[in-house]
Amino acid sequence: MTDFLSTVTNTCVTDKLPDFHIVIPARYASQRFPKKLMADLGGKPILQWVYELSMGAGAKSVTVATDHDVIYQAAKQFGASVIMTKNDHENGTERLAEVAAVKHWQNDEIVVNVQGDEPFLPIDLIHATVAALSRDEEAEMATIACAIDSVDDLFNPNVVKVVCDEMQRALYFSRAPIPWDRDYFATIENKIDDLSTDFAALRHIGLYVYRASLLSKYADLPMSPLERWEKLEQLRFLHQGIKVQVAIAEGLPPHGVDTPEDLDDLRQKILI
């Protein structure tokens, strides 16, 4: 158990980070795995793992945001700061925006969205994404990505790809294989078995960091056709010309809990 946890809870930060807040949007209902945040993992609910790792990230505040009394009471029981939000939010970003408004955070304050089903999210990914946003004064949000080195991942629509400009800002996110290596892929008659040695593609990791000013205007941003087609919320921001800074991670973090099978897998790993 110690070996697995030590690989996902490191705090290697070289530069001093600005102050930041963490909000954990916590939905009780889930289509693929109902009540998963309350599911037991090593003697405590998944949500508690996420709260505790967030508390270890050095944030100015950590808040659980939920619309369900079961989660509210459970969070209170393990000592979390928790806010009961509206029950008609379409996504976690809207829930973050409500918390930022309730807390009266200033426009320049930084808010991290940590998903409630990511019990082993490495803390250094949070730090890297916060640092990326703080270094780019023109960006209003940041996220993180890692290299793709697998053909299967490149062509898997469930693996979201991102292409960046020279300032490491996102140009586009897609479920399609981007960028397209035209000359190399054109030489393969039947099936692409490997990527060329100089091919660089990035896999998006779903961690978002916002300036509070962006959250305050999020509700007024209409859904774009790009978002509707790709089913990727971050395209709403790009469609509006909002600059999104992208930090680069050294590798893919541990998988979150989307299904009961994911939970069983993590239970086995923490016993190793």
Side-chain angles (χ1 to χ4, degrees):
M1 181 172 181
T2 302
D3 290 343
F4 173 70
L5 295 183
S6 67
T7 65
V8 296
T9 58
N10 56 80
T11 56
C12 51
V13 181
T14 56
D15 300 323
K16 186 179 185 302
L17 291 173
D19 288 339
F20 62 96
H21 304 278
I22 290 178
V23 178
I24 306 169
R27 292 177 63 250
Y28 187 67
S30 174
Q31 290 184 342
R32 285 187 289 180
F33 190 177
K35 308 176 186 178
K36 67 177 176 180
L37 299 191
M38 292 294 95
D40 180 80
L41 176 61
K44 53 190 175 184
I46 291 171
L47 180 62
Q48 185 173 349
W49 283 89
V50 177
Y51 178 76
E52 290 174 356
L53 80 82
S54 297
M55 287 294 291
K60 188 175 181 179
S61 70
V62 178
T63 306
V64 174
T66 187
D67 61 357
H68 200 285
D69 188 62
V70 168
I71 288 183
Y72 184 91
Q73 296 300 332
K76 281 289 188 183
Q77 187 171 1
F78 60 71
S81 171
V82 56
I83 288 180
M84 184 71 81
T85 62
K86 299 175 182 178
N87 61 9
D88 59 351
H89 291 310
E90 293 185 359
N91 52 52
T93 307
E94 290 186 3
R95 213 172 298 282
L96 258 70
E98 182 180 350
V99 172
V102 169
K103 296 279 192 177
H104 302 291
W105 288 333
Q106 299 301 306
N107 284 341
D108 61 347
E109 294 194 72
I110 294 175
V111 186
V112 182
N113 181 346
V114 172
Q115 299 295 326
D117 58 4
E118 298 279 355
F120 298 118
L121 177 71
I123 290 174
D124 61 344
L125 295 194
I126 297 174
H127 292 165
T129 313
V130 169
L133 180 59
S134 68
R135 289 194 297 265
D136 189 340
E137 295 182 357
E138 295 183 7
E140 295 184 73
M141 64 179 288
T143 188
I144 193 163
C146 65
I148 292 177
D149 55 12
S150 162
V151 171
D152 288 342
D153 284 347
L154 182 66
F155 285 86
N156 183 348
N158 294 316
V159 173
V160 178
K161 277 69 68 172
V162 58
V163 173
C164 301
D165 65 14
E166 65 179 359
M167 297 185 69
Q168 210 55 47
R169 292 174 182 161
L171 289 171
Y172 192 64
F173 296 87
S174 183
R175 298 183 182 279
I178 58 172
W180 185 261
D181 191 345
R182 190 198 67 170
D183 292 341
Y184 179 71
F185 291 169
T187 64
I188 310 298
E189 293 184 359
N190 297 314
K191 184 177 183 298
I192 302 171
D193 295 316
D194 201 0
L195 301 176
S196 60
T197 56
D198 62 345
F199 183 76
L202 293 173
R203 175 180 184 146
H204 179 227
I205 300 170
L207 174 66
Y208 296 101
V209 177
Y210 305 89
R211 298 194 193 277
S213 57
L214 177 58
L215 292 173
S216 69
K217 62 186 181 185
Y218 176 78
D220 297 325
L221 298 178
M223 179 182 290
S224 74
L226 300 173
E227 177 185 359
R228 186 173 69 251
W229 295 326
E230 295 258 20
K231 298 296 186 288
L232 296 175
E233 180 190 347
Q234 59 269 38
L235 291 174
R236 183 180 310 191
F237 300 106
L238 292 187
H239 190 75
Q240 296 294 325
I242 292 166
K243 295 179 175 61
V244 180
Q245 181 61 226
V246 181
I248 304 299
E250 292 185 1
L252 189 65
H255 197 279
V257 180
D258 292 329
T259 66
E261 291 74 22
D262 293 334
L263 179 58
D264 289 340
D265 184 54
L266 287 181
R267 284 171 173 162
Q268 292 301 315
K269 286 181 178 178
I270 64 175
L271 293 176
I272 296 175

